[in-house]
Amino acid sequence: MDFAMTAVRTALNGASYVAPRLAGGAAFRLFRKPRGRSRLRPGERPLTDRAEVGEIVIGGGKAVSYRWGTGARPVLLVHGWESRGSRFAPLVSELLDLGLSPVTFDAPGHGDATGETMTIVDLRDIITELDARHGPFEMVVAHSLGVTATFLALREGGARQLPPVRTERIVAISGVPDFAYLVDGFCERLGLRTRLNAELRGCVERELFPGEEDIWSRFSVPRTAPEAGPASVLVVHDEDDDMVDPACSRALADVLGDRAELVVTSGLGHRRIIGDPQVAAYVRDFVVRERAARVGRAAGRPDPSPRPAAG
């Protein structure tokens, strides 16, 4: 932990003894704001320069969308916290080679979008809006908090009374299992007292979801995925992820049963995994295999090959 974070931890923990509500509010403001905007990398620019760019008014800002291909067989790519759509560049190239039409975005407070922050509901609404414009999506690939928001969009729909998203398959990469996991992880990384965790949860309930009875169950992926998920889910996680425990993805694969296959990578951590060429190849193989299986089933033939064993 750097000096600045050490100072923040000391200040918040100290304030929590004399003014816990104020300390909780300060922790909430820090929790809500990305630590910085993820910048476009030189290797990503050639691909983003070829994209059709749009915008979506959402929350306190405007999301920026990026679209490639002809529009046939669209696929949505959903980034997570402190990331951006261009991080999927290797996967975009793979999907284009397959004749698919990738769509991604920068959420408010991220990448080239405006605004200062986003919520999980903002992410849900971006997903449903892009589905209304460019869907239905043949597949949704999501990373981190984007996984949580994707299953929410499949179950609830979005703003403007948009219906729940429907898709044939999902790729869930390094998925955050629920909203409580984010709060607990934030407090653990900062070294905040248990009292501050409770105060932060109270701020989330009052400020972001007033009047809701139990937001913590509402955003639980393992609890809701079996009823909301599509027929096929590829679950990918790196064993060296220091942000989200790989056990979370194993639990998701377990509750999905035969609908899921699990791939465990090594040495990529939480962020580099979405730009890794080998992971892009796993997704490509998943698309090819699942499409062949669907065509075969339609023709009355058995699946051409078994799914690989869980990693």
Side-chain angles (χ1 to χ4, degrees), residues 14 65 72 80 107 181 188 192 198 208 241 288 299 308-309:
S65 64
Y181 193 92
E188 182 179 349
L192 301 183
L208 297 183
D241 192 328
V288 172

Coordinates of all heavy atoms in Angstrom, one line a residue, residues 14 65 72 80 107 181 188 192 198 208 241 288 299 308-309:
G14 N -9.3 6.5 12.2 CA -9.3 7.4 13.3 C -10.6 8.2 13.5 O -11.2 8.3 14.6
S65 N -19.8 4.3 -27.0 CA -19.9 3.0 -27.6 C -19.0 2.8 -28.8 O -18.7 3.8 -29.5 CB -21.3 2.6 -27.9 OG -21.8 3.4 -29.0
A72 N -24.0 -8.1 -38.4 CA -24.4 -9.5 -38.3 C -23.8 -10.2 -37.2 O -22.6 -10.0 -36.9 CB -24.1 -10.2 -39.6
G80 N -15.1 -3.8 -16.8 CA -15.4 -3.7 -15.3 C -14.9 -2.4 -14.8 O -14.7 -1.4 -15.5
A107 N -17.8 3.1 -20.0 CA -18.9 3.6 -19.1 C -18.5 5.0 -18.5 O -17.3 5.4 -18.5 CB -19.1 2.6 -17.9
Y181 N -19.3 -8.3 -2.1 CA -17.9 -8.6 -2.2 C -17.0 -7.4 -2.5 O -15.9 -7.3 -2.1 CB -17.8 -9.7 -3.4 CG -16.4 -10.3 -3.5 CD1 -16.2 -11.5 -2.8 CD2 -15.4 -9.8 -4.2 CE1 -15.0 -12.2 -2.9 CE2 -14.2 -10.4 -4.3 CZ -14.0 -11.6 -3.7 OH -12.7 -12.2 -3.7
E188 N -11.1 -4.3 3.0 CA -9.9 -5.2 3.3 C -8.6 -4.6 2.7 O -7.6 -4.6 3.4 CB -10.2 -6.6 2.8 CG -9.0 -7.5 3.1 CD -9.3 -8.9 2.6 OE1 -10.4 -9.2 2.2 OE2 -8.3 -9.8 2.6
L192 N -9.6 -1.1 6.6 CA -10.6 -0.3 7.4 C -11.3 -1.2 8.5 O -11.4 -2.4 8.3 CB -11.7 0.2 6.5 CG -11.2 1.2 5.4 CD1 -12.4 1.7 4.6 CD2 -10.4 2.3 5.9
A198 N -19.5 -1.5 8.1 CA -21.0 -1.4 8.3 C -21.5 0.0 7.9 O -22.6 0.1 7.3 CB -21.3 -1.7 9.8
L208 N -27.5 4.9 -2.9 CA -27.6 4.3 -4.2 C -28.9 3.5 -4.4 O -29.4 3.5 -5.5 CB -26.4 3.3 -4.5 CG -25.0 3.9 -4.5 CD1 -24.0 2.9 -4.8 CD2 -24.9 5.1 -5.5
D241 N -5.2 -14.1 -9.5 CA -6.0 -12.9 -9.3 C -6.0 -12.4 -7.9 O -6.4 -13.2 -7.0 CB -7.5 -13.2 -9.7 CG -8.4 -12.0 -9.9 OD1 -8.2 -11.0 -9.1 OD2 -9.3 -12.0 -10.7
V288 N -16.8 -21.2 -31.7 CA -16.8 -22.2 -32.8 C -17.5 -23.5 -32.4 O -18.3 -24.0 -33.1 CB -15.4 -22.4 -33.3 CG1 -15.4 -23.6 -34.3 CG2 -14.8 -21.1 -34.0
A299 N -29.8 -30.2 -36.7 CA -29.9 -31.2 -37.7 C -30.1 -32.6 -37.2 O -30.1 -33.6 -37.9 CB -28.6 -31.2 -38.6
P308 N -14.4 -29.4 -22.6 CA -13.2 -29.7 -21.8 C -13.6 -29.8 -20.4 O -14.5 -29.2 -19.9 CB -12.3 -28.6 -22.1 CG -13.2 -27.4 -22.6 CD -14.3 -28.1 -23.3
A309 N -12.8 -30.6 -19.6 CA -13.0 -30.6 -18.2 C -12.7 -29.3 -17.5 O -12.0 -28.5 -18.1 CB -12.2 -31.7 -17.6

